[in-house]
Every structure is written in structure tokens, then in C-alpha cells.
Amino acid sequence: MGYESMLADIKSSLNGKISDVEDKIEKLKKAKKDIDTLQVEAITEIKDIVKPELGKHWTGTKADDFDKGRENAKSEASKIVNDKYNEYMASIQSKIFWLETEKFELNLTKSAANAAGDLLAKGEDFVEEAGRQISKLKWW
């Protein structure tokens, strides 16, 4: 297999990997946006947990227990929507960061492959140097 063919295979593999990483990043960004929307909706609904106010005819231990139960439900729902949400969003953002780092590294490797191709295009005097560059990229 000639250097041109090897380089074409390497570039094709890199393009596929870059495309895959970009797809993953876009999916995670969409998930973040969707989760943001759900959080806003949940916050609005949490406020409704303690509504309506119990009227003056609702008194005694049953009314107190009912109110306490609603407050506990509101508190638990708030913890989930706020604390768990923040943890989950941080996890997604971390994954996006690592995928963007991976994409950057793949693009650097692609630049090196392009540089090797440029050397090949210069002619026979540069074939040996191009071969050295390509051998560094062979792991693709």
C-alpha cells in the first residue's frame, strides 16, 4: 500500500471519528437545553404543590398533617429539581468538555496528516520525510 493510500485511509478514519464526536457533542447540548426547559417547568409545578391554601374550615391534626405532607413533598421535589439537576448538568458539561478536547486532538492529527500529504505533493525529494510523518499516524 502506497503512502497516498495510507494517508487517505488515515484521513477517512479521522473524518469519521471527528463526525462521531461532533454528533455526540450536539446530542449532549440538545439534552442540556431540554433539561433546562424541564427544570423551568418543574420549578413552576413545585410552587403548585402547596396550593390551594387550606381554608379556615381546615383545622386540626389532619389539616396539619396534610400541610406538613405538602411541604415535605415540595422540599423533596425542590432538592431533586435543584441539587440533582446541577449535578447532572455538571456531568453533561464535563462530558462535552472531554469530547471537545478529543475533537481538538483529532483535528491536530488531521492537520499532521494534511502536512504529510503536502510533503508527498512536493515530489520525490520529500517522500522519505512524508513516510516518517505517516508512520507516526499509522495507529489510525
Side-chain angles (χ1 to χ4, degrees), residues 11-138:
K11 287 180 181 181
S12 176
S13 176
L14 286 168
N15 286 334
K17 290 177 187 284
I18 290 169
S19 178
D20 183 49
V21 168
E22 288 172 340
D23 288 344
K24 289 177 182 177
I25 290 170
E26 288 309 308
K27 287 178 183 175
L28 286 170
K29 286 181 177 180
K30 183 184 180 320
K32 273 183 66 177
K33 185 178 176 183
D34 292 346
I35 292 168
D36 275 335
T37 301
L38 290 172
Q39 186 197 30
V40 170
E41 291 172 7
I43 288 171
T44 302
E45 290 177 10
I46 287 170
K47 292 176 186 175
D48 292 338
I49 290 174
V50 291
K51 293 182 181 175
E53 289 287 325
L54 295 181
K56 60 183 176 184
H57 300 292
W58 285 78
T59 59
T61 58
K62 293 227 185 234
D64 291 343
D65 290 346
F66 183 76
D67 257 348
K68 194 181 295 181
R70 290 196 311 176
E71 285 298 327
N72 287 340
K74 180 181 176 186
S75 176
E76 287 302 312
S78 292
K79 284 180 192 174
I80 291 168
V81 168
N82 294 314
D83 299 345
K84 296 294 181 187
Y85 164 85
N86 289 335
E87 291 173 19
Y88 194 59
M89 291 302 273
S91 172
I92 291 173
Q93 189 57 46
S94 175
K95 183 66 175 172
I96 290 171
F97 173 80
W98 288 112
L99 288 168
E100 286 175 343
T101 301
E102 182 180 349
K103 179 182 169 188
F104 178 78
E105 291 171 355
L106 290 167
N107 279 318
L108 282 178
T109 304
K110 186 176 173 182
S111 293
N114 288 333
D118 292 344
L119 286 172
L120 280 177
K122 288 183 178 181
E124 282 188 34
D125 293 341
F126 297 92
V127 169
E128 190 175 315
E129 178 59 28
R132 282 194 289 276
Q133 293 291 331
I134 293 169
S135 68
K136 292 177 185 177
L137 301 171
K138 272 190 175 178

